[in-house]
Every structure is written in C-alpha cells, then in structure tokens.
Amino acid sequence: MMKLVEVIKTPMTSQKTFESLLDFSKALGKHPVTCKDTPGFIVNRLLVPYLMEAVRLYERGDASKEDIDIAMKLGAGYPMGPFELLDYVGLDTTKFIMDGWHEMDTQNPLFQPSPSVNKMVAEKKLGKKTGEGFYKYK
C-alpha cells in the first residue's frame, strides 16, 4: 500500500546488495529512502515519539484525545489524529516498540513508557483490532 520503502545499510550490507534493494524498490513502483541502522529508521523514529507525546499531553490533562486528534488533522494536515493512528496501528505494537527502545536507552525522555498505554494493553484494549483502544469501535 505504501509508496515508501526504507532501505537500511548496515556495516555488513554490501554495496551491491544495497543498490539491488534500491533498484528492486523502484521496480515495484516504490520510492526508496536510505537510512543508517538506527532504532525505528526514519518513519517510526519520528512517528512513535510524536504519538507518545500526544498520549503524554492527554495523560497530563492538557487536552482531550478528541481535541488533540482534531488539532493535528486540521492544524497539521494529517489524515489521522495520533489517537486514531494509535488505535489503527495497535496499542500492543506501539508498546512493544517503546519497550524495546526504552530498554536500549532508559534515560531518553522520548522512550519513556506510558501508564495509560500499559494499562490498556494489560486490559487487552489494543485498538481497532479488539474493538476498543483510545476509542470504541463496533
């Protein structure tokens, strides 16, 4: 579905393999971008901390989840608000990513766990796939 492919070159990746992956991605009609081997690569490294900051804003009581979603759709032009996207991706998936990053760098404020996400995952409220996350689904 996505037009983007993140192609990661590690120190063990040969130049031939790297170039083959770029060519293969283009042959599939995708747009490859390159990145070093860093947690989350490009998209998730930027996206997941953004999603978690929205959760923290909500946890502090600074704004409702509905207002945060509306603000990001209308103010930033995003097709989904962060809570809609969290429910779409799955709260268990987001928690799994955050837990891994937090384990690697416990001091990074961007990688701190969220009490509300942890609670919802423990309650099996994982988002759209279970019918309830930050929002309820039929």
Side-chain angles (χ1 to χ4, degrees):
M1 285 180 74
M2 291 182 65
K3 290 287 185 188
L4 179 72
V5 175
E6 292 180 279
V7 180
I8 312 309
K9 185 171 186 190
T10 72
M12 299 181 322
T13 307
S14 73
Q15 189 62 30
K16 182 179 179 186
T17 298
F18 181 71
E19 289 171 8
S20 293
L21 287 169
L22 292 173
D23 291 342
F24 180 67
S25 298
K26 290 175 188 173
L28 293 174
K30 306 291 183 176
H31 187 101
V33 295
T34 64
C35 179
K36 290 182 180 178
D37 190 10
T38 185
F41 311 132
I42 298 171
V43 173
N44 283 332
R45 184 61 182 261
L46 295 172
L47 179 63
V48 174
Y50 152 74
L51 295 173
M52 295 308 297
E53 187 57 25
V55 172
R56 290 183 193 101
L57 194 67
Y58 173 65
E59 287 174 339
R60 288 192 305 265
D62 294 335
S64 70
K65 62 184 179 288
E66 295 84 3
D67 282 347
I68 294 168
D69 277 349
I70 290 168
M72 293 312 295
K73 289 190 286 189
L74 299 180
Y78 289 4
M80 290 179 148
F83 294 95
E84 294 168 319
L85 186 54
L86 281 160
D87 279 354
Y88 181 79
V89 168
L91 299 177
D92 53 334
T93 301
T94 303
K95 181 182 178 337
F96 178 80
I97 293 167
M98 288 302 296
D99 287 350
W101 289 358
H102 180 69
E103 189 176 307
M104 286 186 340
D105 187 356
T106 59
Q107 300 306 308
N108 191 327
L110 296 175
F111 301 162
Q112 298 307 303
S114 157
S116 59
V117 170
N118 289 347
K119 181 178 185 286
M120 285 190 283
V121 170
E123 295 170 348
K124 305 292 187 225
K125 296 177 181 175
L126 309 179
K128 285 190 132 183
K129 62 184 160 189
T130 60
E132 185 175 354
F134 282 101
Y135 296 108
K136 290 187 179 184
Y137 303 90
K138 293 182 181 194

